[in-house]
Amino acid sequence: MRYVEHVVVPRSCLAVLSFAVATACRSSSSLPRSVGERALAEFVGSYPEDATPTGVMRTFDLTAAPAELPLIDGKKLQVWAYNGQVPGPTLRVRLGETIRVRFTNRLPQETTIHWHGVRLPNAMDGVPYLTQPPVPPGGTFTYEFTPKDASTFWFHPHVRASEQVERGLYGVLVVEDAKPPPYSRELVWVLDDWLLDASGQIATPFNTRHDLAMDGRWGTAITINGLTETVMKVQPGERIRLRLLNSANGRVFTPDFGDLDAKIIAVDGLYLRAPIPARGFELAPGNRLDIDLSFDRSTSAPFEIWDRYFAQRPNKLASIEVEGELAQTPTFASPASAHVPLWSDAVDAPIAHDFHLDAQQGGPFGIAWTIDGIAMDSSHRHAMPPSVTFERGRFAHVHFTNESPRIHPIHTHGMFFRLLARNGVRVDEPFFRDTVIVHPREQIDIGVVPTDAGTWMMHCHILEHAEAGMMTTIAVTEP
Ligand SMILES: [Cu+2]
């Protein structure tokens, strides 16, 4: 099975997506097709329905526990960490390999691990009471799955996430291409921000009324891989793959690489149709960007990377110093050449569901964030029916209306989607996503073809908003 296939219309009944075959074959007849069927036909070959296992198993042991680490500016910080590291270890496998994670909880609270962005069996998704019981203090759980996509994923708790992620529990899962492009180097940068108290420790309490009423908890210390003042030293002639993740509870970053030759090649881990300049992308909590950085053979100029989410108050993220011998990097084409459907008229398909995002007074925090007027119990203990049911392998058009004056980065578990329109104006982002910001009072349209059956979470990835109820579930049923 291939990861990308450059077809716009299905070529034959041998199309890689078996569930699309019936529609693809019907599409060759003279019957007029609905917009949804055309969208499905265009989707064929975008990504595989199933992984093709190589038979290789990679086993990792992961323990969550309190730790004290030199972070931010190097002072000792009391955190919660995976394997004593913040960020946690980067788990690295190759496409087709099976990952097994033997997890132990040494925290004073129950927890789970959610594999953000990974299309996996529902039982491995790490949502307490929905896909598994929470792992109690002292307990263990084994996660095992074979990723279907070569991608930049990440993992984090799905229990009291606004506290557990803020304390330092997150890590990156890299699934390399079956044949990785020959970059001279690959870097993983986890962006985060920290809100500290007067003693320099993580400020408590969590879920304050301010954070809940605004766009979540925004810290004052911005870090890359847990540290401020990041300086990257590179050699002229290098070509670097930079995997960027925003692990913050609420902060949005808009990275600007300035004069650097920097191109986005993947969003939320999946390759683009073609590379685009690395500026202006709103990297919401949960989003990932893979950046292709090329350093001219003759360059020696220093570079700076800035966050320009607030144009008037930019934050310096890192500096780059070019020095040393000329690096011999082979010439190769950008890996960003995925089949991403145009879906130019998909926004005209019937709407499967219109999600309304809003807030109400009340609930355990005094403010409840709602989807369709309902705040989901953050413990997930009280079962509620799914908001909408999709059929596996069928195209679905979904609309969101943000009635509130705050932003909501909406994240779907278990499925990627494409943004079709903002405020009724069609957009053609050349990529799929698993997280997109719905701005204040904004309306958006997305299109999705779910590939995995089960009951999947959909929630705001501002973790305080999710904690205060902005979560729901989507059921994906077998056709
Ligand atoms: Cu929100």
Side-chain angles (χ1 to χ4, degrees), residues 369 406-410 460-462 465-466 470:
W369 284 102
R406 310 313 313 182
I407 58 168
H408 301 295
I410 293 295
C460 180
H461 220 290
I462 289 179
H465 290 184
M470 193 170 265

Side-chain angles (χ1 to χ4, degrees), residues 128-130 374-377 379-386 455 472-473:
Y129 300 103
L130 183 67
I374 299 168
M376 190 167 166
D377 176 346
S379 70
H380 312 277
R381 278 186 182 87
H382 304 295
M384 53 183 275
T455 303
T472 189
T473 59

Side-chain angles (χ1 to χ4, degrees), residues 114-119 149-156 171-174 188-191 242-247 255 264-270 272 281-291 411-412 415-416 431-436 461:
H114 167 58
W115 307 90
H116 183 125
V118 185
R119 296 187 295 136
D149 304 295
S151 183
T152 306
F153 302 115
W154 67 300
F155 54 96
H156 62 78
V172 172
L173 166 61
V174 172
V188 174
W189 278 8
V190 181
L191 300 175
L242 177 62
R243 298 179 190 261
L244 269 183
L245 156 69
N246 181 359
S247 73
I264 299 171
I265 54 170
V267 169
D268 290 345
L270 294 187
L272 275 63
F281 187 96
E282 289 184 338
L283 191 72
N287 276 136
R288 288 86 67 212
L289 287 178
D290 286 35
I291 313 276
H411 169 52
T412 53
M415 64 193 88
F416 293 98
F431 48 83
F432 288 90
R433 300 168 163 270
D434 60 44
T435 305
V436 67
H461 220 290

Side-chain angles (χ1 to χ4, degrees), residues 224-477:
I224 292 177
N225 297 343
L227 298 170
T228 53
E229 310 291 327
T230 296
V231 179
M232 172 164 78
K233 292 192 190 303
V234 305
Q235 295 167 252
E238 273 203 276
R239 186 168 171 188
I240 294 174
R241 180 180 192 146
L242 177 62
R243 298 179 190 261
L244 269 183
L245 156 69
N246 181 359
S247 73
N249 280 28
R251 181 182 288 274
V252 183
F253 296 91
T254 304
D256 182 345
F257 289 77
D259 296 333
L260 244 168
D261 182 354
K263 302 232 166 40
I264 299 171
I265 54 170
V267 169
D268 290 345
L270 294 187
Y271 285 126
L272 275 63
R273 191 188 292 145
I276 57 174
R279 62 175 63 92
F281 187 96
E282 289 184 338
L283 191 72
N287 276 136
R288 288 86 67 212
L289 287 178
D290 286 35
I291 313 276
D292 187 335
L293 292 174
S294 285
F295 294 89
D296 200 81
R297 298 166 66 86
S298 56
T299 193
S300 60
F303 297 96
E304 290 182 345
I305 303 172
W306 288 78
D307 159 37
R308 298 196 190 278
Y309 181 67
F310 294 113
Q312 306 305 316
R313 285 181 287 129
N315 301 299
K316 188 172 161 189
L317 296 176
S319 334
I320 299 178
E321 293 173 0
V322 187
E323 59 184 34
E325 290 179 18
L326 182 66
Q328 300 298 331
T329 305
T331 302
F332 58 95
S334 173
S337 60
H339 168 58
V340 178
L342 279 170
W343 282 354
S344 51
D345 64 354
V347 74
D348 298 327
I351 294 173
H353 194 85
D354 187 2
F355 287 105
H356 283 257
L357 313 175
D358 208 351
Q360 293 170 2
Q361 297 295 322
F365 300 106
I367 298 171
W369 284 102
T370 60
I371 297 178
D372 298 340
I374 299 168
M376 190 167 166
D377 176 346
S378 71
S379 70
H380 312 277
R381 278 186 182 87
H382 304 295
M384 53 183 275
S387 286
V388 62
T389 299
F390 297 154
E391 204 173 282
R392 187 172 70 81
R394 302 297 301 183
F395 172 82
H397 171 202
V398 185
H399 190 259
F400 292 82
T401 304
N402 183 357
E403 316 273 12
S404 80
R406 310 313 313 182
I407 58 168
H408 301 295
I410 293 295
H411 169 52
T412 53
H413 287 212
M415 64 193 88
F416 293 98
F417 58 83
R418 280 201 70 222
L419 182 66
L420 303 175
R422 284 195 188 273
N423 287 328
V425 179
R426 291 172 200 208
V427 296
D428 177 29
E429 292 185 334
F431 48 83
F432 288 90
R433 300 168 163 270
D434 60 44
T435 305
V436 67
I437 295 179
V438 193
H439 299 97
R441 314 288 181 200
E442 190 179 46
Q443 302 193 24
I444 66 162
D445 294 82
I446 66 167
V448 61
V449 181
T451 56
D452 296 271
T455 303
W456 301 100
M457 292 297 301
M458 187 193 83
H459 62 89
C460 180
H461 220 290
I462 289 179
L463 299 177
E464 289 74 18
H465 290 184
E467 199 67 23
M470 193 170 265
M471 299 186 287
T472 189
T473 59
I474 294 172
V476 178
T477 58

